[in-house]
Amino acid sequence: MTQLNASDTRIPPAAFDEVKDVAGHLSPVPGGVGPMTVAMLLRNTCEAALG
């Protein structure tokens, strides 16, 4: 969940410096993760578990 600090600057959920060498791409998501993303993550998890 993205938060705002006292100067209304976004504070991303991941520390950029810690993940920049591992992540393929980073982009801000205003309002956080949406329902479609959650649905696809759940679908992929179920498919992986069921084989």
Side-chain angles (χ1 to χ4, degrees):
M1 179 174 170
T2 302
Q3 301 173 1
L4 298 177
N5 63 16
S7 63
D8 292 335
T9 303
R10 284 192 191 139
I11 302 171
F16 177 76
D17 291 334
E18 295 175 18
V19 300
K20 68 180 181 180
D21 296 328
V22 181
H25 298 283
L26 293 173
S27 65
V29 180
V33 177
M36 188 64 193
T37 302
V38 173
M40 295 310 297
L41 286 170
L42 183 58
R43 176 184 173 190
N44 291 340
T45 301
C46 291
E47 286 182 3
L50 298 174

